[in-house]
PDB file of all heavy atoms in Angstrom:
ATOM      1  N   PRO A 629     173.505-197.073  68.098  1.00  0.00           N
ATOM      2  CA  PRO A 629     174.496-198.062  67.654  1.00  0.00           C
ATOM      3  C   PRO A 629     175.913-197.535  67.833  1.00  0.00           C
ATOM      4  O   PRO A 629     176.168-196.342  67.701  1.00  0.00           O
ATOM      5  CB  PRO A 629     174.140-198.263  66.181  1.00  0.00           C
ATOM      6  CG  PRO A 629     173.411-197.025  65.777  1.00  0.00           C
ATOM      7  CD  PRO A 629     172.669-196.570  66.994  1.00  0.00           C
ATOM      8  N   LEU A 630     176.815-198.432  68.146  1.00  0.00           N
ATOM      9  CA  LEU A 630     178.219-198.090  68.354  1.00  0.00           C
ATOM     10  C   LEU A 630     179.009-198.318  67.069  1.00  0.00           C
ATOM     11  O   LEU A 630     178.776-199.296  66.364  1.00  0.00           O
ATOM     12  CB  LEU A 630     178.804-198.961  69.469  1.00  0.00           C
ATOM     13  CG  LEU A 630     178.108-198.907  70.824  1.00  0.00           C
ATOM     14  CD1 LEU A 630     178.724-199.950  71.756  1.00  0.00           C
ATOM     15  CD2 LEU A 630     178.206-197.519  71.430  1.00  0.00           C
ATOM     16  N   LYS A 631     179.954-197.420  66.781  1.00  0.00           N
ATOM     17  CA  LYS A 631     180.853-197.614  65.647  1.00  0.00           C
ATOM     18  C   LYS A 631     182.276-197.623  66.186  1.00  0.00           C
ATOM     19  O   LYS A 631     182.664-196.733  66.942  1.00  0.00           O
ATOM     20  CB  LYS A 631     180.687-196.510  64.612  1.00  0.00           C
ATOM     21  CG  LYS A 631     181.588-196.678  63.388  1.00  0.00           C
ATOM     22  CD  LYS A 631     181.257-195.664  62.304  1.00  0.00           C
ATOM     23  CE  LYS A 631     179.962-196.016  61.589  1.00  0.00           C
ATOM     24  NZ  LYS A 631     179.728-195.183  60.391  1.00  0.00           N
ATOM     25  N   TYR A 632     183.056-198.643  65.814  1.00  0.00           N
ATOM     26  CA  TYR A 632     184.373-198.784  66.415  1.00  0.00           C
ATOM     27  C   TYR A 632     185.524-198.759  65.403  1.00  0.00           C
ATOM     28  O   TYR A 632     186.670-199.021  65.749  1.00  0.00           O
ATOM     29  CB  TYR A 632     184.452-200.067  67.244  1.00  0.00           C
ATOM     30  CG  TYR A 632     184.221-201.359  66.490  1.00  0.00           C
ATOM     31  CD1 TYR A 632     185.285-202.078  65.955  1.00  0.00           C
ATOM     32  CD2 TYR A 632     182.940-201.871  66.326  1.00  0.00           C
ATOM     33  CE1 TYR A 632     185.088-203.255  65.271  1.00  0.00           C
ATOM     34  CE2 TYR A 632     182.733-203.053  65.644  1.00  0.00           C
ATOM     35  CZ  TYR A 632     183.802-203.750  65.119  1.00  0.00           C
ATOM     36  OH  TYR A 632     183.594-204.922  64.451  1.00  0.00           O
ATOM     37  N   ALA A 633     185.234-198.451  64.136  1.00  0.00           N
ATOM     38  CA  ALA A 633     186.281-198.338  63.127  1.00  0.00           C
ATOM     39  C   ALA A 633     185.829-197.330  62.083  1.00  0.00           C
ATOM     40  O   ALA A 633     184.639-197.040  61.950  1.00  0.00           O
ATOM     41  CB  ALA A 633     186.556-199.691  62.478  1.00  0.00           C
ATOM     42  N   ASP A 634     186.782-196.762  61.334  1.00  0.00           N
ATOM     43  CA  ASP A 634     186.389-195.779  60.323  1.00  0.00           C
ATOM     44  C   ASP A 634     185.855-196.471  59.076  1.00  0.00           C
ATOM     45  O   ASP A 634     185.936-197.689  58.935  1.00  0.00           O
ATOM     46  CB  ASP A 634     187.554-194.845  59.988  1.00  0.00           C
ATOM     47  CG  ASP A 634     188.743-195.566  59.360  1.00  0.00           C
ATOM     48  OD1 ASP A 634     188.513-196.434  58.492  1.00  0.00           O
ATOM     49  OD2 ASP A 634     189.891-195.249  59.718  1.00  0.00           O
ATOM     50  N   LYS A 635     185.330-195.665  58.176  1.00  0.00           N
ATOM     51  CA  LYS A 635     184.599-196.232  57.041  1.00  0.00           C
ATOM     52  C   LYS A 635     185.489-196.990  56.064  1.00  0.00           C
ATOM     53  O   LYS A 635     184.987-197.732  55.218  1.00  0.00           O
ATOM     54  CB  LYS A 635     183.849-195.125  56.311  1.00  0.00           C
ATOM     55  CG  LYS A 635     184.761-194.063  55.702  1.00  0.00           C
ATOM     56  CD  LYS A 635     183.931-192.991  55.025  1.00  0.00           C
ATOM     57  CE  LYS A 635     184.824-191.914  54.399  1.00  0.00           C
ATOM     58  NZ  LYS A 635     184.004-190.858  53.740  1.00  0.00           N
ATOM     59  N   HIS A 636     186.809-196.792  56.158  1.00  0.00           N
ATOM     60  CA  HIS A 636     187.702-197.497  55.250  1.00  0.00           C
ATOM     61  C   HIS A 636     188.211-198.815  55.828  1.00  0.00           C
ATOM     62  O   HIS A 636     188.947-199.538  55.159  1.00  0.00           O
ATOM     63  CB  HIS A 636     188.894-196.593  54.905  1.00  0.00           C
ATOM     64  CG  HIS A 636     188.498-195.291  54.278  1.00  0.00           C
ATOM     65  ND1 HIS A 636     187.873-195.214  53.050  1.00  0.00           N
ATOM     66  CD2 HIS A 636     188.619-194.002  54.732  1.00  0.00           C
ATOM     67  CE1 HIS A 636     187.623-193.954  52.759  1.00  0.00           C
ATOM     68  NE2 HIS A 636     188.065-193.205  53.760  1.00  0.00           N
ATOM     69  N   SER A 637     187.823-199.106  57.058  1.00  0.00           N
ATOM     70  CA  SER A 637     188.308-200.327  57.704  1.00  0.00           C
ATOM     71  C   SER A 637     187.559-201.549  57.190  1.00  0.00           C
ATOM     72  O   SER A 637     186.429-201.460  56.720  1.00  0.00           O
ATOM     73  CB  SER A 637     188.132-200.226  59.223  1.00  0.00           C
ATOM     74  OG  SER A 637     188.850-199.132  59.737  1.00  0.00           O
ATOM     75  N   ARG A 638     188.232-202.681  57.289  1.00  0.00           N
ATOM     76  CA  ARG A 638     187.592-203.952  56.969  1.00  0.00           C
ATOM     77  C   ARG A 638     187.681-204.843  58.198  1.00  0.00           C
ATOM     78  O   ARG A 638     188.684-204.809  58.931  1.00  0.00           O
ATOM     79  CB  ARG A 638     188.275-204.626  55.775  1.00  0.00           C
ATOM     80  CG  ARG A 638     188.068-203.882  54.463  1.00  0.00           C
ATOM     81  CD  ARG A 638     188.656-204.664  53.303  1.00  0.00           C
ATOM     82  NE  ARG A 638     188.031-205.964  53.153  1.00  0.00           N
ATOM     83  CZ  ARG A 638     186.861-206.176  52.547  1.00  0.00           C
ATOM     84  NH1 ARG A 638     186.190-205.156  52.051  1.00  0.00           N
ATOM     85  NH2 ARG A 638     186.386-207.395  52.431  1.00  0.00           N
ATOM     86  N   PRO A 639     186.651-205.659  58.449  1.00  0.00           N
ATOM     87  CA  PRO A 639     186.681-206.502  59.652  1.00  0.00           C
ATOM     88  C   PRO A 639     187.724-207.606  59.547  1.00  0.00           C
ATOM     89  O   PRO A 639     187.975-208.142  58.467  1.00  0.00           O
ATOM     90  CB  PRO A 639     185.275-207.094  59.697  1.00  0.00           C
ATOM     91  CG  PRO A 639     184.805-207.083  58.278  1.00  0.00           C
ATOM     92  CD  PRO A 639     185.415-205.844  57.672  1.00  0.00           C
ATOM     93  N   ARG A 640     188.329-207.913  60.674  1.00  0.00           N
ATOM     94  CA  ARG A 640     189.166-209.101  60.740  1.00  0.00           C
ATOM     95  C   ARG A 640     188.284-210.332  60.611  1.00  0.00           C
ATOM     96  O   ARG A 640     187.087-210.278  60.917  1.00  0.00           O
ATOM     97  CB  ARG A 640     189.915-209.137  62.064  1.00  0.00           C
ATOM     98  CG  ARG A 640     191.098-208.195  62.135  1.00  0.00           C
ATOM     99  CD  ARG A 640     191.781-208.273  63.484  1.00  0.00           C
ATOM    100  NE  ARG A 640     191.971-209.655  63.949  1.00  0.00           N
ATOM    101  CZ  ARG A 640     192.632-209.969  65.052  1.00  0.00           C
ATOM    102  NH1 ARG A 640     193.146-209.016  65.821  1.00  0.00           N
ATOM    103  NH2 ARG A 640     192.775-211.232  65.411  1.00  0.00           N
TER     104      ARG A 640
END
Side-chain angles (χ1 to χ4, degrees):
L630 303 174
K631 181 172 286 189
Y632 60 93
D634 63 42
K635 63 181 180 180
H636 302 296
S637 300
R638 292 185 61 81
R640 283 179 45 175

